Amino acid sequence: MKKVAVIMGSDSDWGVVKAAVETLKGYGVPVEAHVMSAHRTPGLAAAFAGSAREKGFGVLIAAAGKAAHLAGVLAAHTTLPVIGLPVAAAQLDGLDALLATVQMPSGIPVATVAIDGAKNAALLAVQMLAIEDEGLADRLAAAKREMEAGVVEKDRKLQEQY
């Protein structure tokens, strides 16, 4: 099975990123987490992205706040799918990171999830890997059935009350 790399621009992003790592592990997906900065270690980020396929990665998740150029830097140096995870910062509540992540130039696509949407970033990575992995696809389908059953149960309880 391909691995997923979760790259954060700062260790202060771990509070958000942790949910992605836990979700990936919950699906049995091998995951590595690293700190690399688009601005402070651009060469390191570029080298990691450039060699990621050869190292067995299938998807990269890039978590960054403020200027949030990490996803774009990684995407510029790989042909693997990159998922941008904008992280909220105190100044603009993550809107700056969201816009910086989603507004990629033509030819450098980055899939982008919601601000602080670590679990969805992980689930999107799992869905990408599940294209070629039937076991992962089955686990995703089971999780969706469980989610549906949970909503149906909540509705049933609501209907009993009213």
Side-chain angles (χ1 to χ4, degrees):
M1 177 185 303
K2 298 283 186 183
K3 301 183 288 186
V4 174
V6 180
I7 311 299
M8 60 198 113
S10 169
D11 63 346
S12 65
D13 298 330
W14 178 248
V16 171
V17 170
K18 182 178 171 183
V21 172
E22 290 172 351
T23 300
L24 289 161
K25 285 183 176 183
Y27 277 90
V29 174
V31 58
E32 290 184 16
H34 297 277
V35 177
M36 293 176 204
S37 170
H39 304 107
R40 295 181 188 103
T41 61
L44 182 63
F48 183 90
S51 65
R53 182 181 298 277
E54 292 76 31
K55 291 180 179 176
F57 291 97
V59 180
L60 308 180
I61 296 174
K66 298 183 181 179
H69 295 124
L70 183 58
V73 167
L74 295 175
H77 292 91
T78 188
T79 57
L80 293 174
V82 175
I83 301 168
L85 170 55
V87 177
Q91 294 82 2
L92 297 172
D93 293 328
L95 185 57
D96 48 348
L98 174 64
L99 294 174
T101 303
V102 77
Q103 293 289 24
M104 289 293 105
S106 180
I108 309 297
V110 170
T112 307
V113 297
I115 297 166
D116 292 346
K119 184 173 181 181
N120 272 355
L123 289 171
L124 182 55
V126 173
Q127 288 178 322
M128 289 173 176
L129 296 177
I131 292 170
E132 297 292 326
D133 187 319
E134 204 60 41
L136 272 181
D138 291 343
R139 287 191 291 262
L140 282 166
K144 289 196 178 218
R145 287 190 300 272
E146 287 177 24
M147 190 173 17
E148 179 183 11
V151 172
V152 168
E153 178 62 17
K154 289 176 184 179
D155 180 62
R156 186 192 64 74
K157 287 180 179 179
L158 178 67
Q159 297 310 313
E160 286 178 358
Q161 289 178 350
Y162 301 102

